[in-house]
Amino acid sequence: QVQLVESGGGLVQPGGSLRLSCAASGSIVSINVMRWYRQAPGREREFVTAITSGGTTDYVDSVKGRFTISRDNAKNTAYLQMNSLKPEDTAVYYCNAVLRQYNSDNYYSYWGQGTQVTVSS
């Protein structure tokens, strides 16, 4: 049973920083790509950033220069360092991973339960 567990969310003032973590577990052979999405109230879930197993990254324009994604392949964990946070960054942040388990030849997509990030004074 694959689990993705996010942590690190909370309340922060504008201009502040938070670091999110996403830990994947469950007989995992390899993780192809790990992504972060977010969903604000009344809006659709949107892509934020991604990182491949080789370290290639991609960001939505609105977070470029402020957010940094990284991963520790040995720990099956991805991180999202968020700096210079703005009120419009307020959302539930979800981790997504495309991975393969030991009993499978295929890669499948899994989601975490989400962690709330609130940017407010």
Side-chain angles (χ1 to χ4, degrees):
Q1 183 77 7
V2 172
Q3 279 194 315
L4 297 183
V5 179
E6 301 107 330
S7 61
L11 173 64
V12 64
Q13 292 187 342
S17 299
L18 282 175
R19 188 189 193 218
L20 306 183
S21 298
C22 170
S25 62
S27 300
I28 297 168
V29 173
S30 66
I31 301 177
N32 183 5
V33 59
M34 299 187 80
R35 305 181 180 100
W36 288 96
Y37 287 77
R38 65 186 179 186
Q39 187 166 19
R43 303 188 67 175
E44 293 188 355
R45 190 173 298 189
E46 69 167 348
F47 168 81
V48 177
T49 182
I51 185 167
T52 68
S53 57
T56 300
T57 59
D58 187 24
Y59 298 90
V60 68
D61 285 347
S62 60
V63 308
K64 285 180 179 177
R66 300 188 299 122
F67 290 11
T68 302
I69 189 171
S70 60
R71 64 189 278 180
D72 184 332
N73 290 331
K75 296 181 178 179
N76 289 332
T77 299
Y79 306 96
L80 180 60
Q81 178 67 43
M82 304 186 294
N83 298 328
S84 302
L85 282 161
K86 305 174 180 180
E88 51 263 43
D89 294 317
T90 296
V92 177
Y93 283 71
Y94 296 91
C95 178
N96 169 262
V98 177
L99 58 86
R100 183 169 71 89
Q101 291 185 280
Y102 281 102
N103 61 351
S104 174
D105 293 331
N106 299 315
Y107 284 82
Y108 295 95
S109 178
Y110 295 88
W111 291 87
Q113 80 289 349
T115 185
Q116 177 69 47
V117 171
T118 303
V119 185
S120 175
S121 55

